[in-house]
Amino acid sequence: MQDQSLKNVQSGILAESNQFGFYITYTLSHDDDLLPLIRDMVARFPAMIDECSRVFDVPSLNGVVAIGSDAWDRLYPQGRPVALKPFPEMKQGSRLAPETPCDLYFQIRSDRHDINFIVARRIDSMLGEIANLQEAIPTFRYLDCRDLTGFVDGTENPQGEERAKVALVGHEDPSFAGGSYVHIQRYVHNMPVWNEVSVKEQEQVFGRSKADNIEFESDAKPLTSHIKRTGIKDEEGEAIEILRQSMPYGNLSAQGLYFVSYCRFSDNFTRMLASMVYSDAHGHYDHMLKYTEAVTGAALFAPSRDFLVKYVGAAAEAEQLKKEKAAAEALRLAEEEAELNSTRSELAYTPLSEALVRPDALNPVEPEVEKNQDTEPGDQKKVSDQDTAPEVKTVTPTNTGGRRYSASFYQAMLEDDEDQPQTSQADSQKNLKQQPGLPWTLTEEGKKGLKDDD
C-alpha cells in the first residue's frame, strides 16, 4: 500500500510500540436521538489526535476508534463491512473466551502517560452523557516489550510493509478499504501461580526461551505451547497472521494483558482463538490458558479516516432536523386544535329566538286574581270583568333551565322523535277509549245514548 493511501488509515493501527496506552470501551444508550451526536464525535476523533499531537508536541501520539458489531447498524445503517460479525464466544471445560458489551473502542497510545490521560478525559467529556463507560484501562510498556509473565510479546508481528498487508482491508471490500477488523480481550493473569512455575516449565508453555526470546525448533515445540497453538496455517499452507497492539496493565490487585489485534480478514483471529481454547483430537490446547483468563471480548471495525470524516457535522444536521420535526408537529397540533374549536363553536349553546330563551316573553300570562270573599252576592255584577278574572299563576318552564340551545340540539331532538315507532289513527282512538275520564259522548254508554236519540 502506498504512503499516500496510508494517510487514510487511523494512526494507531500500524503504529510501532509506545511507552503508554489507554484503552477505553463504551456502550451506547437506547435513545436513537443521541446517535447523530455519537457519529459526530467519532468522526472528529482522528483530527483530535492530530491536534493534541501538535499542541502538546508529542509526535508519538496515535489513536484508533472502532465500532462494535452490534452498534454498527445503528450508527451507519447505509452499509456494513462484509466480514463484521459478533465476537466468537468460545468455551470448553474451564477455558472461556467470553463476549462482553462493547459498542465503541478507543485506543490511545504515546510515550507520555499524561497526554494519554488528557485525550482520554476529552473523550469521556464528550461521551459521558450520551454513552456508558465500560472500562478505562491504562497500559504501559513492561521492560523491553515483555508481558508481565516475563516473555516478549508480539514477536510474531509482521514488520515493514507487511503490517499494512495483514491489517488493512483492501480491494475485496472497496467501500471499507483502509479499515481494519479489531478484536479485543482483557486477560487477567494468575501471577502467584505463574511465579511458582519453574522457568523451564514456563518456556515449555510459551515455546521459546524466556531470557533471550529464542523460538524453539519446530520439533522441540510442545503441541500445547502458545506459539504452536497460535502459529497455524490456512488450507493453502500460508501462515495466518494478525497485527497485535497488545500492552500489559495492572496494579497491586490485578495484572494482565490487554490484547488487541488488527486484521484484514476477521476469521484469522477466530481461527487462532479456537486453536487456543478447543482441544484437538489428541487433547492439545494452549496451556497458557492454565495461567490466564479472558474476562472481556469484543469484535469491532475501525473505519478509514475518509469514511469517518463524512459524518463530521452530523450533530448539527440532526439538531436542524429535530427542529424541523418539532415545528411540523407544532403546526399539526395547531391545525387539530383549530378544527376542534370550530366543531365546538358549531355545537355551542346559541339562542334561536327570545321565545326559546323566555317563552313567557311573547305570550305573557295574566296573573290569577283571587275572588274577594267579602263581596256580597248582590254586588257581584258591579265587579268589572278584570276584577272577576280568575287568578293565573305564572309558570316558568322547567325543561329549559334558562339554557340557550343551538340548532344542532333541536335537530337531534327531531331525529330522536323520527326514530320512535309510529302508531295508526285507529290505535290512537283505541288507546284513548281505554283511558279513564273520557268525555261521556266517547264512552260506550254515551255512544248507545246517541244511537237511541237517532
Side-chain angles (χ1 to χ4, degrees):
M1 185 173 290
Q2 301 297 323
D3 291 342
Q4 185 66 26
S5 300
L6 294 181
K7 293 182 179 180
N8 187 34
V9 179
Q10 293 193 59
S11 59
I13 296 178
L14 304 178
E16 297 294 340
S17 174
N18 295 104
Q19 293 275 6
F20 302 99
F22 227 117
Y23 297 126
I24 314 172
T25 57
Y26 290 89
T27 55
L28 305 182
S29 71
H30 297 292
D31 188 354
D32 287 346
D33 291 340
L34 299 178
L35 296 180
L37 301 177
I38 296 172
R39 275 193 292 268
D40 195 3
M41 184 271 160
V42 169
R44 297 176 187 274
F45 176 74
M48 184 178 71
I49 292 292
D50 296 341
E51 178 189 5
C52 290
S53 176
R54 181 178 63 257
V55 170
F56 296 108
D57 191 21
V58 184
S60 61
L61 179 64
N62 60 81
V64 178
V65 59
I67 297 89
S69 172
D70 294 339
W72 184 275
D73 293 336
R74 292 184 62 199
L75 286 171
Y76 309 108
Q78 298 83 0
R80 182 182 179 91
V82 293
L84 180 59
K85 48 193 172 184
F87 184 84
E89 182 171 286
M90 301 179 189
K91 181 178 181 181
Q92 186 179 51
S94 61
R95 301 180 298 279
L96 174 65
E99 179 186 16
T100 52
C102 177
D103 294 326
L104 294 177
Y105 162 72
F106 293 90
Q107 174 183 301
I108 310 161
R109 300 202 320 182
S110 75
D111 294 335
R112 289 181 57 178
H113 176 64
D114 56 340
I115 301 303
N116 294 348
F117 182 70
I118 289 173
V119 176
R121 289 193 63 185
R122 286 193 178 187
I123 293 171
D124 194 60
S125 66
M126 290 186 284
L127 288 177
E129 296 183 357
I130 60 178
N132 306 308
L133 177 65
Q134 297 299 300
E135 286 192 329
I137 308 297
T139 59
F140 52 87
R141 179 190 292 170
Y142 182 62
L143 301 175
D144 52 341
C145 295
R146 293 176 183 263
D147 178 40
L148 294 180
T149 58
F151 286 81
V152 176
D153 183 52
T155 56
E156 299 296 320
N157 261 354
Q159 302 299 320
E161 294 182 356
E162 287 297 314
R163 296 169 75 86
K165 292 180 181 179
V166 169
L168 301 179
V169 174
H171 58 81
E172 69 278 0
D173 193 3
S175 298
F176 297 97
S180 185
Y181 293 97
V182 188
H183 291 88
I184 60 174
Q185 291 179 287
R186 183 167 66 84
Y187 283 88
V188 178
H189 297 338
N190 190 339
M191 295 305 297
V193 174
W194 175 256
N195 290 333
E196 292 180 356
V197 177
S198 67
V199 173
K200 185 176 181 180
E201 291 179 17
Q202 290 179 356
E203 290 176 341
Q204 292 294 309
V205 170
F206 269 91
R208 60 176 179 264
S209 62
K210 187 173 185 178
D212 49 11
N213 192 35
I214 297 176
E215 186 174 336
F216 293 169
E217 295 294 332
S218 180
D219 56 353
K221 291 177 187 174
L223 296 178
T224 57
S225 66
H226 181 65
I227 291 178
K228 193 71 174 179
R229 301 307 299 177
T230 57
I232 57 179
K233 300 181 183 299
D234 61 18
E235 292 74 13
E236 299 177 356
E238 297 292 331
I240 293 177
E241 295 184 279
I242 58 175
L243 176 59
R244 298 169 177 85
Q245 293 286 15
S246 309
M247 292 188 77
Y249 75 93
N251 51 37
L252 297 182
S253 301
Q255 305 87 36
L257 180 73
Y258 204 104
F259 173 86
V260 182
S261 74
Y262 295 92
C263 196
R264 179 176 183 174
F265 306 105
S266 66
D267 285 343
N268 286 14
F269 167 80
T270 303
R271 297 177 70 168
M272 284 187 182
L273 184 62
S275 180
M276 293 172 61
V277 174
Y278 298 125
S279 58
D280 60 18
H282 304 284
H284 301 138
Y285 64 90
D286 190 347
H287 280 194
M288 186 60 204
L289 296 181
K290 291 181 177 181
Y291 308 99
T292 189
E293 178 186 8
V295 294
T296 65
L300 313 100
F301 187 79
S304 67
R305 295 179 65 129
D306 285 350
F307 177 89
L308 292 175
V309 76
K310 294 185 297 184
Y311 296 93
V312 172
E317 295 175 3
E319 185 64 24
Q320 179 62 30
L321 181 61
K322 185 178 180 180
K323 291 180 180 179
E324 292 176 358
K325 288 183 178 179
E329 179 65 12
L331 179 60
R332 184 186 68 80
L333 293 175
E335 292 175 349
E336 288 183 358
E337 183 66 19
E339 182 179 358
L340 184 60
N341 289 337
S342 175
T343 304
R344 287 171 177 167
S345 64
E346 293 176 0
L347 297 178
Y349 292 120
T350 55
L352 298 179
S353 67
E354 284 297 321
L356 297 176
V357 180
R358 295 180 56 195
D360 58 332
L362 299 181
N363 300 305
V365 180
E366 295 292 338
E368 181 179 349
V369 180
E370 296 183 358
K371 294 182 179 181
N372 189 354
Q373 296 179 355
D374 297 335
T375 305
E376 294 294 331
D379 299 331
Q380 290 181 358
K381 293 182 181 181
K382 299 178 181 180
V383 179
S384 65
D385 294 338
Q386 182 177 357
D387 293 338
T388 59
E391 179 182 0
V392 178
K393 296 183 180 180
T394 304
V395 179
T396 302
T398 58
N399 59 337
T400 61
R403 300 173 68 182
R404 300 169 177 260
Y405 293 101
S406 67
S408 301
F409 175 82
Y410 286 97
Q411 180 64 30
M413 293 180 61
L414 292 174
E415 292 174 354
D416 289 340
D417 290 341
E418 292 174 357
D419 293 337
Q420 297 296 325
Q422 301 296 322
T423 57
S424 63
Q425 183 175 3
D427 292 338
S428 299
Q429 292 179 355
K430 181 179 180 181
N431 292 336
L432 287 175
K433 293 176 183 180
Q434 295 174 352
Q435 293 181 9
L438 291 175
W440 179 82
T441 55
L442 293 181
T443 62
E444 294 299 328
E445 294 77 2
K447 288 181 180 180
K448 292 178 181 180
L450 291 175
K451 289 180 181 181
D452 294 340
D453 293 339
D454 293 340

